[in-house]
Amino acid sequence: PLTLEEVRMLVELFYLPYHHGALAQELLEHFRWLRANSLSVGVPATAPDACGGTRWRGRAQSFQLLCARTCRLHSRFVSTAGRALLYDLHPYLWDIRNMLLAASAFVLWLGCQSVTTPILLGRDAEPWARRGGLFGELQALLPVGNSCDLFYHPPPLFPSSQLYLLRPLLPLDKLGHEGGSCSEVSQGLQAQLSCAPALPGRLLGSFLSLSPEYTFVLEDEGGPCGYAAGALHAEGFLQQRDSSWLPAMRHKYPPDLGAGGPALGQEAVLFFHAEPLAVPQPVLRRFPSLVQLGTAPRVLDVGASRSLALCLLSALRANGSRGVFCQVSDADRQQLSFYSKLG
């Protein structure tokens, strides 16, 4: 059964609509402070305000631990609560878990920024666009908090106790990275998606090479199971992809490489040799950023996928993006269904 401490955590998360318990208040205080003081991140240790960066990372670690405790509480609650209580309270705890997955990864992302300083944009949303309680206050603190479509999804019919970790791409992930086509993350996704060797390059290669700072990884107990990748300035990204990255991939994967192999392998190799479709200028002007997301078939919880989207869009919005687009083949029903479920 749930421990007394876990029951206390549950009560504190949903204490009163405008009066939070100690755990919820601590989460909000940390998140507000980390967002407001993110300028102290990425400073070299010899800089005069290096102690500010150290303090920021200390509070970020405390926030991560609180988020992890809450995610574990969700998993424990699903495993141990009585059915009637589970179905009454699960939608609320599921929402909080998803929000904290995104908030935790966003804070980690802020700590990785050493080149550009995030510009946290925000304006007051209409009252109907935001819920009350802890969920609504966390929503308001994410840079995409006013995009209310992202936050309203029904909970799964069959609650899952699966634990997830959402984080930005780390330097360690890119060990063994060659020509933008191979990394531990893409190899892990390749194994989970049962794909051909060239497919990770098609999925993530250009983003790993040209825009790694906007790449996020979803993991479960089996390893990497999802990704979200983006490019802040899509026009420049696509030009660089076509002029340098694609020629390198064509040299590495000649057209005859996939001959005689699985159909998926041939398709992945031929992808590099097909001329990419041009994106119309009106699209680039209105939606200047490019995004791409995907999860392994075993990820049945749409909440984890939604957290991926929230985190990526928050990072892009924090650096000034005012709109995103994604490129999907009209024959790719799996991806079309995936994006549709995200709203």
Side-chain angles (χ1 to χ4, degrees):
L2 292 173
T3 66
L4 182 61
E5 178 62 25
E6 288 168 333
V7 174
R8 184 180 292 113
M9 286 174 61
L10 189 62
V11 171
E12 289 178 355
L13 288 170
F14 306 100
Y15 196 71
L16 287 171
Y18 300 101
H19 184 193
H20 305 299
L23 174 65
Q25 194 61 46
E26 194 175 357
L27 279 166
L28 285 171
E29 287 173 0
H30 280 316
F31 197 14
R32 288 193 188 105
W33 188 91
L34 290 164
R35 219 190 87 145
N37 293 275
S38 62
L39 303 185
S40 65
V41 186
V43 178
T46 54
D49 55 349
C51 58
T54 303
R55 184 183 175 203
W56 193 96
R57 289 183 174 84
R59 288 197 69 160
Q61 187 176 21
S62 298
F63 180 72
Q64 305 292 331
L65 291 172
L66 286 175
C67 291
R69 282 179 61 198
T70 309
C71 290
R72 280 197 299 271
L73 173 62
H74 169 267
S75 180
R76 289 267 297 134
F77 185 76
V78 171
S79 300
T80 62
R83 295 296 96 180
L85 185 63
L86 172 62
Y87 282 97
D88 274 348
L89 297 186
H90 177 258
Y92 304 100
L93 193 53
W94 179 77
D95 268 340
I96 292 293
R97 188 227 36 190
N98 296 336
M99 185 65 74
L100 288 178
L101 276 175
S104 175
F106 180 67
V107 165
L108 273 175
W109 175 82
L110 284 176
C112 294
Q113 300 307 293
S114 57
V115 180
T116 57
T117 300
I119 306 167
L120 294 171
L121 305 175
R123 58 181 184 274
D124 291 337
E126 295 294 332
W128 51 264
R130 192 174 297 148
R131 300 187 203 175
L134 177 62
F135 181 94
E137 295 210 35
L138 288 169
Q139 175 188 343
L141 289 170
L142 284 173
V144 288
N146 297 336
S147 305
C148 56
D149 296 5
L150 294 167
F151 296 91
Y152 295 97
H153 288 271
L157 290 175
F158 303 101
S160 167
S161 61
Q162 177 67 63
L163 278 169
Y164 291 101
L165 170 69
L166 176 56
R167 59 175 177 80
L169 189 77
L170 302 173
L172 185 65
D173 296 317
K174 291 183 281 185
L175 288 175
H177 178 65
E178 180 186 348
S181 68
C182 187
S183 75
E184 290 182 18
V185 169
S186 56
Q187 284 177 344
L189 285 170
Q190 171 195 328
Q192 304 302 339
L193 297 167
S194 300
C195 292
L199 193 57
R202 190 180 85 169
L203 288 173
L204 283 171
S206 57
F207 292 99
L208 288 171
S209 288
L210 307 176
S211 186
E213 65 272 23
Y214 294 103
T215 304
F216 294 86
V217 182
L218 181 71
E219 293 180 317
D220 62 11
E221 292 161 359
C225 60
Y227 72 96
L232 183 63
H233 303 293
E235 187 171 13
F237 171 86
L238 294 172
Q239 289 173 355
Q240 200 172 355
R241 181 198 67 181
D242 296 347
S243 64
S244 60
W245 183 79
L246 267 179
M249 291 298 98
R250 287 166 180 165
H251 177 73
K252 183 171 183 177
Y253 297 104
D256 56 352
L257 183 65
L264 191 57
Q266 295 177 38
E267 178 193 343
V269 170
L270 292 176
F271 166 84
F272 297 124
H273 295 272
E275 282 302 316
L277 294 174
V279 179
Q281 279 299 320
V283 172
L284 290 170
R285 281 196 294 269
R286 185 174 178 187
F287 308 103
S289 302
L290 172 67
V291 298
Q292 182 175 292
L293 300 94
T295 56
R298 70 175 187 271
V299 181
L300 302 177
D301 187 343
V302 72
S305 305
R306 187 181 73 176
S307 298
L308 265 176
L310 282 176
C311 193
L312 174 59
L313 295 177
S314 291
L316 291 167
R317 175 68 173 153
N319 274 336
S321 177
R322 63 182 183 276
V324 304
F325 71 96
C326 56
Q327 294 177 294
V328 189
S329 165
D330 56 5
D332 193 340
R333 295 185 179 181
Q334 184 177 359
Q335 277 294 89
L336 288 170
S337 172
F338 176 78
Y339 288 118
S340 297
K341 287 177 182 175
L342 290 180

